[in-house]
Amino acid sequence: QQNKTASKEIGKIANRLKSERVDLPLGEFAAELDELGVTLTRRNNKVVPNFEASSLTPKDRGPVKEVIRQLVRIINKGESSGFDAHQLKKIIDNNVTWGKKESLSPEAAKLLKTFRTRIDDSLDEAFPDYNQANVVYKQTIEALDEVVAGVGTKINLDGPNVDKQLGISLRKLMSNV
């Protein structure tokens, strides 16, 4: 419940940042794309990534393209808001895996996760209330991860019948098993 409350609080704060300007770490992201052999070319009003000389696998390209597409959408607006940066973080979160077996190559995962961390750092520095809400959210995630690790099984804490699954697992833990 605290995790859901903290998540909602972050969303409320992010909504208040629609008119607040924040700098996105574009230079570092572009340099890291370049290091991976991804070149960006401008066609009309679009920026198109070219993966021909890239070490990224075909399954990596979709998430990287989506982040670039959203980034260009933000840039084309003229300036980036705190809300835009928050949304970009969410897009990255939807394309990478945290604390589980990663579906992307290590290079692509590192690229996107590093970019997300830099975006979060920009938001945290510019908006202390956003930072505080993120700290609370992170603490709830860590607590939930510890519960799952202590039980020793993979339990979906958002799934149906989680109370029964946890109960069975905790009874096992307390028995001779």
Side-chain angles (χ1 to χ4, degrees):
Q1 187 62 37
Q2 287 178 334
N3 177 259
K4 289 177 183 174
T5 302
S7 178
K8 287 179 184 176
E9 183 63 21
I10 292 170
K12 287 178 189 175
I13 293 169
N15 278 327
R16 292 194 306 254
L17 302 179
K18 288 182 178 179
S19 62
E20 300 291 331
R21 189 180 180 293
V22 69
D23 291 326
L24 293 173
L26 302 176
E28 295 96 337
F29 185 62
E32 289 165 353
L33 284 171
D34 191 49
E35 286 175 23
L36 292 173
V38 179
T39 57
L40 301 174
T41 56
R42 186 173 283 279
R43 287 190 207 145
N44 301 327
N45 254 357
K46 294 184 179 182
V47 173
V48 181
N50 181 339
F51 293 96
E52 284 183 30
S54 172
S55 60
L56 296 178
T57 67
K59 70 178 179 178
D60 297 333
R61 295 173 186 184
V64 172
K65 279 182 186 178
E66 179 58 17
V67 170
I68 291 169
R69 186 181 76 77
Q70 293 293 336
L71 192 54
V72 169
R73 179 189 61 78
I74 292 167
I75 292 168
N76 284 341
K77 285 176 34 180
E79 64 179 33
S80 54
S81 71
F83 180 77
D84 293 329
H86 173 75
Q87 290 298 100
L88 194 53
K89 273 180 42 182
K90 286 174 59 174
I91 289 164
I92 294 170
D93 285 343
N94 289 334
N95 284 285
V96 298
T97 308
W98 298 95
K100 299 174 188 146
K101 186 170 176 7
E102 184 61 64
S103 60
L104 299 175
S105 71
E107 294 87 4
K110 181 181 177 196
L111 170 76
L112 295 178
K113 288 178 179 181
T114 300
F115 186 46
R116 185 204 182 279
T117 298
R118 289 183 181 132
I119 293 168
D120 188 52
D121 290 346
S122 295
L123 285 166
D124 290 349
E125 187 178 308
F127 311 108
D129 55 339
Y130 184 87
N131 181 40
Q132 183 56 39
N134 262 323
V135 167
V136 171
Y137 181 74
K138 181 181 178 194
Q139 289 170 341
T140 65
I141 293 289
E142 289 169 351
L144 291 170
D145 288 346
E146 292 214 13
V147 167
V148 172
V151 174
T153 60
K154 299 287 184 192
I155 293 177
N156 179 3
L157 295 176
D158 292 323
N161 301 319
V162 68
D163 55 342
K164 292 180 178 97
Q165 290 176 338
L166 272 174
I168 291 167
S169 294
L170 289 172
R171 280 193 298 280
K172 280 185 191 176
L173 188 63
M174 300 306 281
S175 72
N176 289 334
V177 172

PDB file of all heavy atoms in Angstrom, residues 147-169:
ATOM      1  N   VAL A 147      11.182  -8.868   1.201  1.00  0.00           N
ATOM      2  CA  VAL A 147      10.147  -9.845   1.555  1.00  0.00           C
ATOM      3  C   VAL A 147      10.199 -11.009   0.580  1.00  0.00           C
ATOM      4  O   VAL A 147      10.210 -12.179   0.986  1.00  0.00           O
ATOM      5  CB  VAL A 147       8.739  -9.198   1.562  1.00  0.00           C
ATOM      6  CG1 VAL A 147       7.641 -10.261   1.608  1.00  0.00           C
ATOM      7  CG2 VAL A 147       8.609  -8.233   2.711  1.00  0.00           C
ATOM      8  N   VAL A 148      10.242 -10.709  -0.705  1.00  0.00           N
ATOM      9  CA  VAL A 148      10.277 -11.765  -1.719  1.00  0.00           C
ATOM     10  C   VAL A 148      11.557 -12.585  -1.582  1.00  0.00           C
ATOM     11  O   VAL A 148      11.527 -13.818  -1.647  1.00  0.00           O
ATOM     12  CB  VAL A 148      10.142 -11.169  -3.144  1.00  0.00           C
ATOM     13  CG1 VAL A 148      10.382 -12.229  -4.201  1.00  0.00           C
ATOM     14  CG2 VAL A 148       8.756 -10.568  -3.314  1.00  0.00           C
ATOM     15  N   ALA A 149      12.688 -11.944  -1.356  1.00  0.00           N
ATOM     16  CA  ALA A 149      13.951 -12.666  -1.192  1.00  0.00           C
ATOM     17  C   ALA A 149      13.916 -13.551   0.048  1.00  0.00           C
ATOM     18  O   ALA A 149      14.427 -14.673   0.043  1.00  0.00           O
ATOM     19  CB  ALA A 149      15.113 -11.682  -1.105  1.00  0.00           C
ATOM     20  N   GLY A 150      13.307 -13.078   1.119  1.00  0.00           N
ATOM     21  CA  GLY A 150      13.217 -13.853   2.357  1.00  0.00           C
ATOM     22  C   GLY A 150      12.351 -15.082   2.217  1.00  0.00           C
ATOM     23  O   GLY A 150      12.607 -16.113   2.830  1.00  0.00           O
ATOM     24  N   VAL A 151      11.327 -14.988   1.392  1.00  0.00           N
ATOM     25  CA  VAL A 151      10.429 -16.113   1.187  1.00  0.00           C
ATOM     26  C   VAL A 151      11.104 -17.155   0.291  1.00  0.00           C
ATOM     27  O   VAL A 151      10.844 -18.347   0.395  1.00  0.00           O
ATOM     28  CB  VAL A 151       9.091 -15.626   0.585  1.00  0.00           C
ATOM     29  CG1 VAL A 151       8.191 -16.775   0.222  1.00  0.00           C
ATOM     30  CG2 VAL A 151       8.395 -14.704   1.560  1.00  0.00           C
ATOM     31  N   GLY A 152      12.011 -16.718  -0.564  1.00  0.00           N
ATOM     32  CA  GLY A 152      12.777 -17.646  -1.387  1.00  0.00           C
ATOM     33  C   GLY A 152      12.084 -18.113  -2.641  1.00  0.00           C
ATOM     34  O   GLY A 152      12.503 -19.062  -3.265  1.00  0.00           O
ATOM     35  N   THR A 153      10.998 -17.487  -3.016  1.00  0.00           N
ATOM     36  CA  THR A 153      10.306 -17.849  -4.247  1.00  0.00           C
ATOM     37  C   THR A 153       9.983 -16.581  -5.012  1.00  0.00           C
ATOM     38  O   THR A 153      10.084 -15.475  -4.503  1.00  0.00           O
ATOM     39  CB  THR A 153       8.990 -18.601  -3.967  1.00  0.00           C
ATOM     40  OG1 THR A 153       8.146 -17.742  -3.198  1.00  0.00           O
ATOM     41  CG2 THR A 153       9.222 -19.902  -3.240  1.00  0.00           C
ATOM     42  N   LYS A 154       9.585 -16.777  -6.217  1.00  0.00           N
ATOM     43  CA  LYS A 154       9.155 -15.650  -7.035  1.00  0.00           C
ATOM     44  C   LYS A 154       7.660 -15.455  -6.836  1.00  0.00           C
ATOM     45  O   LYS A 154       6.852 -16.274  -7.265  1.00  0.00           O
ATOM     46  CB  LYS A 154       9.450 -15.902  -8.519  1.00  0.00           C
ATOM     47  CG  LYS A 154      10.907 -16.078  -8.820  1.00  0.00           C
ATOM     48  CD  LYS A 154      11.614 -14.763  -8.729  1.00  0.00           C
ATOM     49  CE  LYS A 154      13.066 -14.930  -9.126  1.00  0.00           C
ATOM     50  NZ  LYS A 154      13.870 -13.810  -8.809  1.00  0.00           N
ATOM     51  N   ILE A 155       7.315 -14.406  -6.147  1.00  0.00           N
ATOM     52  CA  ILE A 155       5.910 -14.095  -5.902  1.00  0.00           C
ATOM     53  C   ILE A 155       5.623 -12.736  -6.521  1.00  0.00           C
ATOM     54  O   ILE A 155       6.349 -11.779  -6.291  1.00  0.00           O
ATOM     55  CB  ILE A 155       5.590 -14.066  -4.387  1.00  0.00           C
ATOM     56  CG1 ILE A 155       5.727 -15.462  -3.801  1.00  0.00           C
ATOM     57  CG2 ILE A 155       4.199 -13.512  -4.137  1.00  0.00           C
ATOM     58  CD1 ILE A 155       5.497 -15.515  -2.309  1.00  0.00           C
ATOM     59  N   ASN A 156       4.562 -12.684  -7.305  1.00  0.00           N
ATOM     60  CA  ASN A 156       4.138 -11.430  -7.895  1.00  0.00           C
ATOM     61  C   ASN A 156       3.297 -10.693  -6.855  1.00  0.00           C
ATOM     62  O   ASN A 156       2.147 -11.053  -6.615  1.00  0.00           O
ATOM     63  CB  ASN A 156       3.345 -11.682  -9.179  1.00  0.00           C
ATOM     64  CG  ASN A 156       2.861 -10.395  -9.810  1.00  0.00           C
ATOM     65  OD1 ASN A 156       3.149  -9.305  -9.332  1.00  0.00           O
ATOM     66  ND2 ASN A 156       2.122 -10.530 -10.894  1.00  0.00           N
ATOM     67  N   LEU A 157       3.887  -9.660  -6.253  1.00  0.00           N
ATOM     68  CA  LEU A 157       3.194  -8.944  -5.182  1.00  0.00           C
ATOM     69  C   LEU A 157       2.001  -8.131  -5.681  1.00  0.00           C
ATOM     70  O   LEU A 157       1.213  -7.645  -4.889  1.00  0.00           O
ATOM     71  CB  LEU A 157       4.171  -8.049  -4.430  1.00  0.00           C
ATOM     72  CG  LEU A 157       5.272  -8.794  -3.660  1.00  0.00           C
ATOM     73  CD1 LEU A 157       6.245  -7.807  -3.034  1.00  0.00           C
ATOM     74  CD2 LEU A 157       4.685  -9.704  -2.610  1.00  0.00           C
ATOM     75  N   ASP A 158       1.886  -7.993  -6.991  1.00  0.00           N
ATOM     76  CA  ASP A 158       0.739  -7.289  -7.555  1.00  0.00           C
ATOM     77  C   ASP A 158      -0.303  -8.262  -8.102  1.00  0.00           C
ATOM     78  O   ASP A 158      -1.337  -7.853  -8.600  1.00  0.00           O
ATOM     79  CB  ASP A 158       1.191  -6.349  -8.685  1.00  0.00           C
ATOM     80  CG  ASP A 158       2.011  -5.191  -8.165  1.00  0.00           C
ATOM     81  OD1 ASP A 158       1.692  -4.684  -7.075  1.00  0.00           O
ATOM     82  OD2 ASP A 158       2.981  -4.802  -8.839  1.00  0.00           O
ATOM     83  N   GLY A 159       0.004  -9.557  -8.042  1.00  0.00           N
ATOM     84  CA  GLY A 159      -0.874 -10.566  -8.621  1.00  0.00           C
ATOM     85  C   GLY A 159      -2.054 -10.905  -7.733  1.00  0.00           C
ATOM     86  O   GLY A 159      -2.131 -10.508  -6.564  1.00  0.00           O
ATOM     87  N   PRO A 160      -2.967 -11.694  -8.277  1.00  0.00           N
ATOM     88  CA  PRO A 160      -4.126 -12.128  -7.479  1.00  0.00           C
ATOM     89  C   PRO A 160      -3.673 -13.155  -6.438  1.00  0.00           C
ATOM     90  O   PRO A 160      -2.711 -13.885  -6.633  1.00  0.00           O
ATOM     91  CB  PRO A 160      -5.049 -12.764  -8.526  1.00  0.00           C
ATOM     92  CG  PRO A 160      -4.125 -13.222  -9.608  1.00  0.00           C
ATOM     93  CD  PRO A 160      -2.993 -12.228  -9.627  1.00  0.00           C
ATOM     94  N   ASN A 161      -4.358 -13.195  -5.331  1.00  0.00           N
ATOM     95  CA  ASN A 161      -4.096 -14.166  -4.265  1.00  0.00           C
ATOM     96  C   ASN A 161      -2.691 -14.070  -3.674  1.00  0.00           C
ATOM     97  O   ASN A 161      -2.139 -15.069  -3.213  1.00  0.00           O
ATOM     98  CB  ASN A 161      -4.355 -15.590  -4.762  1.00  0.00           C
ATOM     99  CG  ASN A 161      -5.770 -15.775  -5.236  1.00  0.00           C
ATOM    100  OD1 ASN A 161      -6.708 -15.276  -4.613  1.00  0.00           O
ATOM    101  ND2 ASN A 161      -5.934 -16.464  -6.349  1.00  0.00           N
ATOM    102  N   VAL A 162      -2.105 -12.888  -3.707  1.00  0.00           N
ATOM    103  CA  VAL A 162      -0.762 -12.731  -3.155  1.00  0.00           C
ATOM    104  C   VAL A 162      -0.749 -13.070  -1.670  1.00  0.00           C
ATOM    105  O   VAL A 162       0.234 -13.615  -1.160  1.00  0.00           O
ATOM    106  CB  VAL A 162      -0.194 -11.319  -3.432  1.00  0.00           C
ATOM    107  CG1 VAL A 162      -0.943 -10.264  -2.653  1.00  0.00           C
ATOM    108  CG2 VAL A 162       1.283 -11.266  -3.104  1.00  0.00           C
ATOM    109  N   ASP A 163      -1.845 -12.786  -0.982  1.00  0.00           N
ATOM    110  CA  ASP A 163      -1.907 -13.091   0.450  1.00  0.00           C
ATOM    111  C   ASP A 163      -1.784 -14.589   0.690  1.00  0.00           C
ATOM    112  O   ASP A 163      -1.056 -15.031   1.581  1.00  0.00           O
ATOM    113  CB  ASP A 163      -3.193 -12.537   1.069  1.00  0.00           C
ATOM    114  CG  ASP A 163      -4.458 -13.008   0.365  1.00  0.00           C
ATOM    115  OD1 ASP A 163      -4.381 -13.485  -0.796  1.00  0.00           O
ATOM    116  OD2 ASP A 163      -5.537 -12.904   0.973  1.00  0.00           O
ATOM    117  N   LYS A 164      -2.434 -15.395  -0.142  1.00  0.00           N
ATOM    118  CA  LYS A 164      -2.357 -16.845  -0.002  1.00  0.00           C
ATOM    119  C   LYS A 164      -0.958 -17.352  -0.356  1.00  0.00           C
ATOM    120  O   LYS A 164      -0.410 -18.230   0.333  1.00  0.00           O
ATOM    121  CB  LYS A 164      -3.414 -17.512  -0.875  1.00  0.00           C
ATOM    122  CG  LYS A 164      -4.830 -17.252  -0.391  1.00  0.00           C
ATOM    123  CD  LYS A 164      -5.842 -17.929  -1.292  1.00  0.00           C
ATOM    124  CE  LYS A 164      -7.231 -17.697  -0.757  1.00  0.00           C
ATOM    125  NZ  LYS A 164      -7.916 -16.593  -1.390  1.00  0.00           N
ATOM    126  N   GLN A 165      -0.372 -16.811  -1.439  1.00  0.00           N
ATOM    127  CA  GLN A 165       0.970 -17.231  -1.833  1.00  0.00           C
ATOM    128  C   GLN A 165       1.987 -16.923  -0.747  1.00  0.00           C
ATOM    129  O   GLN A 165       2.840 -17.750  -0.421  1.00  0.00           O
ATOM    130  CB  GLN A 165       1.392 -16.528  -3.139  1.00  0.00           C
ATOM    131  CG  GLN A 165       0.638 -16.987  -4.354  1.00  0.00           C
ATOM    132  CD  GLN A 165       1.031 -16.179  -5.590  1.00  0.00           C
ATOM    133  OE1 GLN A 165       1.526 -15.070  -5.492  1.00  0.00           O
ATOM    134  NE2 GLN A 165       0.802 -16.748  -6.756  1.00  0.00           N
ATOM    135  N   LEU A 166       1.896 -15.733  -0.175  1.00  0.00           N
ATOM    136  CA  LEU A 166       2.814 -15.364   0.900  1.00  0.00           C
ATOM    137  C   LEU A 166       2.592 -16.236   2.132  1.00  0.00           C
ATOM    138  O   LEU A 166       3.554 -16.660   2.781  1.00  0.00           O
ATOM    139  CB  LEU A 166       2.653 -13.891   1.276  1.00  0.00           C
ATOM    140  CG  LEU A 166       3.476 -12.890   0.488  1.00  0.00           C
ATOM    141  CD1 LEU A 166       3.103 -11.458   0.876  1.00  0.00           C
ATOM    142  CD2 LEU A 166       4.960 -13.105   0.681  1.00  0.00           C
ATOM    143  N   GLY A 167       1.349 -16.497   2.444  1.00  0.00           N
ATOM    144  CA  GLY A 167       1.039 -17.342   3.599  1.00  0.00           C
ATOM    145  C   GLY A 167       1.633 -18.733   3.456  1.00  0.00           C
ATOM    146  O   GLY A 167       2.262 -19.262   4.385  1.00  0.00           O
ATOM    147  N   ILE A 168       1.471 -19.342   2.312  1.00  0.00           N
ATOM    148  CA  ILE A 168       2.033 -20.679   2.058  1.00  0.00           C
ATOM    149  C   ILE A 168       3.547 -20.639   2.161  1.00  0.00           C
ATOM    150  O   ILE A 168       4.167 -21.490   2.810  1.00  0.00           O
ATOM    151  CB  ILE A 168       1.580 -21.202   0.674  1.00  0.00           C
ATOM    152  CG1 ILE A 168       0.082 -21.493   0.692  1.00  0.00           C
ATOM    153  CG2 ILE A 168       2.381 -22.435   0.269  1.00  0.00           C
ATOM    154  CD1 ILE A 168      -0.520 -21.721  -0.684  1.00  0.00           C
ATOM    155  N   SER A 169       4.148 -19.636   1.540  1.00  0.00           N
ATOM    156  CA  SER A 169       5.610 -19.533   1.562  1.00  0.00           C
ATOM    157  C   SER A 169       6.139 -19.288   2.971  1.00  0.00           C
ATOM    158  O   SER A 169       7.165 -19.847   3.362  1.00  0.00           O
ATOM    159  CB  SER A 169       6.056 -18.412   0.629  1.00  0.00           C
ATOM    160  OG  SER A 169       5.748 -18.737  -0.694  1.00  0.00           O
TER     161      SER A 169
END
